[in-house]
Amino acid sequence: MARVKIDANVFLYPMPMVLVGTAEENRANFMAVAWVSRVNARPPMIAVALGKSHYTNPGIHKNKTFSVNVPGMDLLEKVDYCGLVSGKNDDKSQLFDIFYGGLSNTPMIQQCPLCMECKLVNAVDLPTNTLFIGEIIGACTEERFLTDGKPDIRKMFPFTLTMPDNNYWGVGNNIGKAWNIGKNLKTGK
Amino acid sequence: MARVKIDANVFLYPMPMVLVGTAEENRANFMAVAWVSRVNARPPMIAVALGKSHYTNPGIHKNKTFSVNVPGMDLLEKVDYCGLVSGKNDDKSQLFDIFYGGLSNTPMIQQCPLCMECKLVNAVDLPTNTLFIGEIIGACTEERFLTDGKPDIRKMFPFTLTMPDNNYWGVGNNIGKAWNIGKNLKTGK
């Protein structure tokens, strides 16, 4: 079928939703973020791309830390709320039960099935966003989210975002094993 | 319930799967990647974090371009195959129908519901990976994947990856509108 050129401002399908935690003026704050990715294997690093005007950014620059919290679907309304209001005007520190790991000024969320605390490694200055790269120095979950000692997406119920239609999506069916089902195409080896 | 500390080498749940396209030694090559994120709003930029030993990396450094192709589930085996074998040893240029946009040496995949061609903006050197940041200068799809002129995830059937359990997942149900359903929590405003 014929290709159609569309506006270059396209997005990934779908994008994982997280809450980025920081301490701003000594108050815990959480921002909803879908522009997030692992970026280094060893040591483990993760990056979040935040618009420069966000209330979260100065806290990361100052504390040199941030947290990444993977919420479950039971937190959907609260996550969306964190994306609707700025910590500049609204106190989001009471939305969740907060705990701390090894880093000070790096609040994590008890209700999230997976929490990572990160030390800032690099802040890449881009035109409208800053890409904060952090080393994951600690990760927390609960036994009930694990299978064979690994986080199990079927127990965590994370969710994803699509833009610019602005919809949240659950996770669908398991459709195959990675680094495995493509073996069918290896011929004569 | 009690928190459990787990190994810090944790991942996002789930991660979007794409194929990164490059020209290596004048041959189209495609690499399966889940460490990918939008990183800048205006102009649109996307980043992919590739292990340094990959065959793809020198091509991006040399051509200063790459493509990001979002595959549908009908390409699952081929995508996994692209993650199993290196372009160093295997010719992946015949796996898909290839087309080009405005950039030379930047092959895109006709069978993918969404393709982006990117100009390299920055290559961030991390310990084991290089984070290639590209400006999306063109995007292609087909009419059949659009609703109201926007790519529709329900028509594209993209899929996601979880690690370290190494599973692929489809997209689940629509669970709400973003920048909207959290309004219920806005009180007295």
Side-chain angles (χ1 to χ4, degrees):
Chain A
M1 231 172 292
R3 281 189 300 276
V4 185
K5 258 190 100 90
I6 54 174
D7 190 280
N9 187 30
V10 287
F11 302 87
L12 288 161
Y13 290 84
M15 301 179 280
M17 280 302 300
V18 302
L19 290 167
V20 172
T22 50
E24 311 287 338
E25 303 168 274
N26 297 318
R27 190 171 77 187
N29 189 63
F30 299 98
M31 176 181 170
V33 174
W35 293 10
V36 55
S37 175
R38 273 292 299 269
V39 293
N40 195 65
R42 290 172 307 279
M45 294 184 188
I46 194 166
V48 293
L50 310 185
K52 287 184 186 179
S53 63
H54 282 293
Y55 183 64
T56 290
N57 299 31
I60 301 181
H61 284 296
K62 185 176 148 233
N63 301 325
K64 310 277 186 225
T65 67
F66 60 92
S67 73
V68 175
N69 306 271
V70 177
M73 275 170 49
D74 57 321
L75 297 179
L76 181 62
E77 281 196 356
K78 288 188 176 183
V79 172
D80 193 59
Y81 177 78
C82 285
L84 280 168
V85 302
S86 167
K88 204 176 296 179
N89 310 310
D90 290 81
D91 180 359
K92 299 187 234 180
S93 69
Q94 307 302 311
L95 277 176
F96 309 102
D97 296 323
I98 288 164
F99 72 98
Y100 291 84
L103 300 174
S104 56
N105 291 315
T106 314
M108 292 182 279
I109 298 173
Q110 177 69 50
Q111 285 87 347
C112 284
L114 180 63
C115 302
M116 318 170 199
E117 51 177 336
C118 305
K119 260 189 193 165
L120 185 66
V121 169
N122 195 354
V124 181
D125 186 49
L126 297 170
T128 57
N129 291 60
T130 300
L131 182 65
F132 293 102
I133 300 175
E135 179 180 341
I136 307 168
I137 65 115
C140 273
T141 185
E142 293 177 25
E143 280 292 347
R144 63 187 168 120
F145 299 119
L146 298 173
T147 297
D148 299 331
K150 299 171 192 170
D152 185 340
I153 198 169
R154 283 164 297 205
K155 296 177 174 176
M156 297 163 66
F157 295 100
F159 55 95
T160 61
L161 173 72
T162 50
M163 295 170 66
D165 53 293
N166 302 345
N167 280 293
Y168 293 121
W169 307 88
V171 173
N173 293 329
N174 184 300
I175 57 170
K177 290 294 292 178
W179 290 283
N180 186 286
I181 64 165
K183 285 181 188 165
N184 302 334
L185 300 181
K186 277 193 181 179
T187 48
K189 277 159 200 176
Chain B
M1 232 172 289
R3 281 188 301 275
V4 185
K5 257 189 102 86
I6 54 174
D7 190 279
N9 187 29
V10 287
F11 302 86
L12 288 162
Y13 290 85
M15 300 179 282
M17 280 303 299
V18 300
L19 291 167
V20 172
T22 49
E24 312 286 338
E25 304 168 272
N26 297 319
R27 190 172 75 188
N29 189 62
F30 299 98
M31 177 183 170
V33 173
W35 293 10
V36 54
S37 175
R38 272 292 299 269
V39 293
N40 194 66
R42 292 172 307 279
M45 293 184 188
I46 195 165
V48 293
L50 310 186
K52 287 184 185 178
S53 63
H54 282 292
Y55 183 64
T56 289
N57 299 32
I60 302 182
H61 284 296
K62 184 176 149 232
N63 301 326
K64 311 278 187 222
T65 67
F66 60 93
S67 73
V68 176
N69 306 271
V70 177
M73 274 169 50
D74 56 322
L75 298 178
L76 181 62
E77 280 194 358
K78 289 189 175 182
V79 171
D80 193 59
Y81 177 78
C82 285
L84 280 168
V85 302
S86 168
K88 204 175 297 178
N89 310 311
D90 290 82
D91 180 359
K92 298 187 234 180
S93 69
Q94 306 304 312
L95 277 176
F96 310 101
D97 294 324
I98 289 166
F99 72 99
Y100 291 84
L103 300 173
S104 56
N105 290 314
T106 315
M108 294 183 278
I109 298 172
Q110 177 68 50
Q111 285 87 348
C112 284
L114 180 62
C115 301
M116 318 171 199
E117 51 177 338
C118 305
K119 260 188 192 166
L120 186 66
V121 168
N122 196 353
V124 182
D125 185 49
L126 297 171
T128 57
N129 291 61
T130 300
L131 182 64
F132 293 102
I133 300 176
E135 179 179 343
I136 307 168
I137 65 115
C140 274
T141 183
E142 292 177 25
E143 280 292 349
R144 64 185 168 121
F145 298 120
L146 298 174
T147 298
D148 299 331
K150 299 171 193 170
D152 185 340
I153 197 168
R154 282 164 297 206
K155 297 176 174 175
M156 298 163 65
F157 296 101
F159 55 94
T160 61
L161 173 71
T162 49
M163 294 169 67
D165 53 294
N166 301 347
N167 280 293
Y168 293 120
W169 307 87
V171 173
N173 293 328
N174 183 299
I175 57 171
K177 289 296 291 177
W179 291 282
N180 185 286
I181 64 165
K183 285 181 187 165
N184 303 333
L185 300 181
K186 276 193 181 178
T187 49
K189 278 161 202 176

